[in-house]
Amino acid sequence: MVGPIIQFSNVSKRFVKGKETITIFDHLDLSIQAGDFVAIMGPSGSGKTTLLNLMGGLDQATEGQITFNGAAISGLSEGQLAAWRAVNVGFIFQFYNLMPMLTAERNVELPLLLTKLSGAERRQRVQAALALVGLRERTGHYPREMSGGQQQRVAIARGIISDPKLLVCDEPTGDLDRATADEVLLMLQTLNQEMGKTIVMVTHDPAAAKYAHRILHLDKGAFTDRELAA
Ligand SMILES: Nc1ncnc2c1ncn2[C@@H]1O[C@H](COP(=O)(O)OP(=O)(O)OP(=O)(O)O)[C@@H](O)[C@H]1O
Ligand SMILES: [Mg+2]
């Protein structure tokens, strides 16, 4: 291990709705080591998605500090955060979030449109990513022409296309049957073990969590694991 890739120090997150303030996290600490595969479990509404959004820079903490490889991401402007995200984080969601009117290769290419890569370089990278997830034969297919498992593999290819160090996965197998879920989980395991990606995965499925090296339990915005109390 080479030190924490993500560190939360005294992080609070509150949402203000009219006169009401909802506190999701109240002074939360968390440290995730580079190269780890972490599963986050917990009841609905416990803050799992909010935690991933903070970690991946999709949302900002109300208070406290979040660092990525030692540099604070809390305090960046929206624009800075978007640029940071494009380079450092891949997102994988339960319902794939592919663009329905784009083919697999166009979906995977999307994050690269923000870069200075040439069309030829983009195509080469896209083909390599789709081959990596076993979809070389599906590059011209639209999402509706693919199974859930195939769509999730396209989403994984899109998630890794910018070669981010961190993959944030929100119930990536929540919509898949056991066998297909295991295929997707094995793919995440390979990305972790062979490509060194740090993976943080929210899941309700204990069988999916077994693929992780570390399981954290969140309840009402707090970790209930003893190791974290240290
Ligand atoms: N933008 C928002 N504004 C107000 N409240 C929010 C917002 N986003 C999330 N919340 C609240 O924060 C709490 C945690 O939500 P979150 O989506 O993180 O839960 P979760 O653990 O991912 O749940 P699930 O397992 O159902 O996906 C919930 O009470 C939710 O209503
Ligand atoms: Mg959620």
Side-chain angles (χ1 to χ4, degrees):
M1 295 290 182
V2 289
I5 184 167
I6 296 158
Q7 189 124 39
F8 281 43
S9 309
N10 270 315
V11 168
S12 298
K13 178 66 182 172
R14 289 185 274 277
F15 291 108
V16 179
K17 274 251 182 253
K19 285 186 187 153
E20 214 188 335
T21 298
I22 311 165
T23 299
I24 312 300
F25 299 121
D26 189 18
H27 299 285
L28 186 76
D29 292 323
L30 172 66
S31 183
I32 290 177
Q33 298 300 311
D36 209 349
F37 187 162
V38 180
I40 309 228
M41 304 191 77
S44 186
S46 57
K48 304 181 298 297
T49 295
T50 306
L51 184 78
L52 291 190
N53 289 345
L54 291 173
M55 202 176 279
L58 280 176
D59 198 356
Q60 289 186 304
T62 312
E63 163 178 35
Q65 179 161 271
I66 300 173
T67 62
F68 183 86
N69 282 336
I73 60 163
S74 35
L76 295 183
S77 68
E78 285 294 324
Q80 288 170 323
L81 206 53
W84 172 83
R85 256 191 337 255
V87 175
N88 292 293
V89 194
F91 293 91
I92 294 155
F93 304 96
Q94 178 174 4
F95 298 111
Y96 330 125
N97 290 17
L98 299 175
M99 303 289 274
M101 70 297 260
L102 296 180
T103 61
E105 60 188 344
R106 291 293 179 203
N107 266 288
V108 176
E109 186 188 23
L110 274 179
L112 296 184
L113 298 178
L114 300 167
T115 69
K116 294 195 168 75
L117 293 176
S118 70
E121 286 169 317
R122 290 201 305 268
R123 271 190 296 282
Q124 193 218 330
R125 281 229 211 169
V126 167
Q127 295 312 317
L130 281 167
L132 191 77
V133 297
L135 288 177
R136 207 193 294 270
E137 269 76 58
R138 296 277 170 172
T139 57
H141 284 66
Y142 289 88
R144 66 173 178 278
E145 300 170 335
M146 287 182 279
S147 68
Q150 288 165 342
Q151 289 183 63
Q152 194 59 300
R153 285 193 273 154
V154 173
I156 291 172
R158 181 187 55 188
I160 60 172
I161 194 70
S162 306
D163 201 22
K165 291 200 167 51
L166 173 66
L167 286 182
V168 156
C169 314
D170 200 350
E171 302 189 44
T173 59
D175 200 43
L176 303 175
D177 64 33
R178 181 77 267 146
T180 313
D182 281 324
E183 278 175 31
V184 164
L185 289 159
L186 281 171
M187 199 158 283
L188 294 178
Q189 189 173 63
T190 302
L191 291 171
N192 173 248
Q193 289 178 356
E194 290 173 23
M195 297 180 72
K197 304 291 182 202
T198 305
I199 299 186
V200 182
M201 173 179 77
V202 164
T203 184
H204 284 287
D205 175 13
K210 285 203 179 115
Y211 285 80
H213 303 139
R214 181 180 178 204
I215 304 179
L216 297 176
H217 297 87
L218 200 57
D219 194 12
K220 299 188 186 77
F223 290 110
T224 55
D225 306 83
R226 283 179 140 269
E227 54 176 315
L228 279 159

